Amino acid sequence: MKLQRKGGEGSMYPQYLFEYPNVETDFPFYMKKKKYTSVPSHRHDFIEFSFVLEGKGKERINGTEHDLQPGTIVLLLPYQIHEYEAAPGETLLMYICNFDMKLLTSGLESAWGVNELLFGSNNSRSAHIRLEDHDFEEGLQLWERLYREYESSKAWKPIMLRALLLETLTQFVRGGDKPDGTRIEDQRPKTAKNIWPIVQYVHDHYLEPLTLTSLSKQFQMHPAQISTQFGSEFGIHFVDFLHELRIRHTCSLLISSEMPILQVAFESGFSSYPTFSRAFHRMKGMSPRDYREQQGRER
């Protein structure tokens, strides 16, 4: 994964993860099985879904701490600040999935409960649950199937991965709905629920002309309020958030087509080539032309 620190030297915001393996593919899903003793405070613009296999420790999400132990499942939404650390003498063994939010919002499932899970409702939902006894064994088998499928090269692999991912999410939701479950209050700031429909809208319409003013009219919120919430809750300016989505699309076009770079800029939602060029260099550390040549050599 690549790291980027927003806000310059001494910024109040933690490290920002903005890429992971497979992020620029048709199926932006990545999974690993790894041991940890500690992971410093960070945030990212993709979903992280994890399952603890062994070990004990603590995780802090937006400043609120909870236990990590075998059977703990955490669903971390984009831009939430989190860190975790194993207990003294312990090592955390975890399955961790990283994937783009649109994997869950592009199908009919979004109307069947996924939308509520991601963007909130009047009922708070925990960011984590813990499976015990028989539920833990079922969860372990499910996550192992997901990992084996991810590591395989079988036909229709993305279809099976998405099906298994939805099954693990279903288990997460049902585990949190149990009367004796280990639920806590929603880890997101209460004001964040106002911003999530906007986040989803921008994810769906980032190739179109978007401004704080147009979003203000769409969602009946003052532009200054939208700007303030992006900064205080996600640690990122709205325009940077928008540019990062567009540059990700740009990279896909540069890799998969021979489209002239000027056309790529406009196809990615930018109305100004200088703005596009500056945004691309800030994110990738090179020009679009150099990026295309580098990716061509690597491929």
Side-chain angles (χ1 to χ4, degrees):
M1 292 186 185
K2 296 186 180 180
L3 296 177
Q4 177 171 311
R5 185 176 293 278
K6 297 287 186 183
E9 193 70 28
S11 170
M12 64 177 286
Y13 298 119
Q15 287 181 315
Y16 176 31
L17 296 169
F18 63 94
E19 287 189 356
Y20 56 92
N22 302 332
V23 68
E24 290 166 3
T25 65
D26 292 337
F27 191 78
F29 177 90
Y30 172 66
M31 187 174 185
K32 60 186 175 183
K33 181 180 182 181
K34 193 170 181 180
K35 293 182 177 180
Y36 295 95
T37 53
S38 66
V39 174
S41 180
H42 66 283
R43 59 193 173 90
H44 35 68
D45 66 355
F46 46 85
I47 294 176
E48 181 171 299
F49 196 32
S50 62
F51 180 81
V52 179
L53 297 163
E54 300 173 5
K56 295 182 180 180
K58 300 283 187 181
E59 179 177 36
R60 280 171 290 279
I61 303 175
N62 293 334
T64 301
E65 188 174 272
H66 71 91
D67 291 331
L68 292 175
Q69 53 190 305
T72 300
I73 303 178
V74 180
L75 178 65
L76 194 75
L77 298 180
Y79 310 106
Q80 292 183 304
I81 298 171
H82 77 127
E83 59 186 311
Y84 44 91
E85 185 173 8
E90 295 270 356
T91 300
L92 291 164
L93 177 62
M94 304 169 66
Y95 281 128
I96 296 180
C97 302
N98 301 129
F99 54 93
D100 194 293
M101 186 163 59
K102 65 186 177 186
L103 285 186
L104 302 179
T105 59
S106 59
L108 292 175
E109 298 87 358
S110 61
W112 300 338
V114 172
N115 222 45
E116 177 187 327
L117 174 65
L118 296 180
F119 303 114
S121 66
N122 293 329
N123 300 315
S124 65
R125 181 175 297 282
S126 173
H128 64 87
I129 65 167
R130 184 163 64 90
L131 303 178
E132 299 181 280
D133 304 325
H134 178 68
D135 290 336
F136 172 75
E137 293 301 324
E138 282 192 346
L140 180 60
Q141 292 176 19
L142 179 56
W143 281 80
E144 287 176 342
R145 284 180 61 204
L146 181 63
Y147 187 63
R148 285 197 303 270
E149 186 66 34
Y150 177 76
E151 292 284 284
S152 77
S153 56
K154 296 179 180 179
W156 290 22
K157 175 179 169 179
I159 295 175
M160 182 59 76
L161 281 175
R162 190 169 188 273
L164 290 170
L165 177 60
L166 288 170
E167 189 173 351
T168 57
L169 284 167
T170 300
Q171 184 185 56
F172 173 82
V173 171
R174 291 177 177 178
D177 286 340
K178 288 187 176 182
D180 57 347
T182 55
R183 294 184 54 180
I184 63 169
E185 286 301 304
D186 194 339
Q187 300 286 359
R188 287 171 290 174
K190 298 305 180 185
T191 53
K193 290 184 179 179
N194 296 326
I195 204 71
W196 274 102
I198 300 177
V199 171
Q200 183 190 18
Y201 183 84
V202 176
H203 265 266
D204 292 340
H205 299 274
Y206 64 87
L207 296 179
E208 304 169 14
L210 288 178
T211 65
L212 286 173
T213 300
S214 65
L215 292 174
S216 171
K217 294 177 181 178
Q218 178 81 13
F219 292 94
Q220 302 299 306
M221 290 177 62
H222 195 278
Q225 183 183 359
I226 298 174
S227 178
T228 298
Q229 286 190 216
F230 265 96
S232 63
E233 292 160 10
F234 304 145
I236 186 172
H237 297 296
F238 165 74
V239 69
D240 291 331
F241 173 77
L242 179 60
H243 284 175
E244 285 162 1
L245 291 174
R246 289 174 172 173
I247 293 300
R248 183 170 295 171
H249 184 78
T250 295
C251 291
S252 177
L253 291 178
L254 290 172
I255 292 171
S256 63
S257 76
E258 297 181 0
M259 188 182 298
I261 291 176
L262 180 60
Q263 186 178 351
V264 167
F266 295 135
E267 289 286 340
S268 300
F270 289 92
S271 59
S272 162
Y273 185 82
T275 299
F276 161 75
S277 182
R278 287 193 299 270
F280 193 96
H281 197 278
R282 176 179 60 81
M283 282 194 64
K284 297 298 181 181
M286 64 183 76
S287 70
R289 188 178 306 280
D290 289 342
Y291 179 85
R292 172 177 270 172
E293 292 176 354
Q294 179 194 74
Q295 293 298 312
R297 289 193 298 269
E298 291 179 358
R299 289 164 70 89

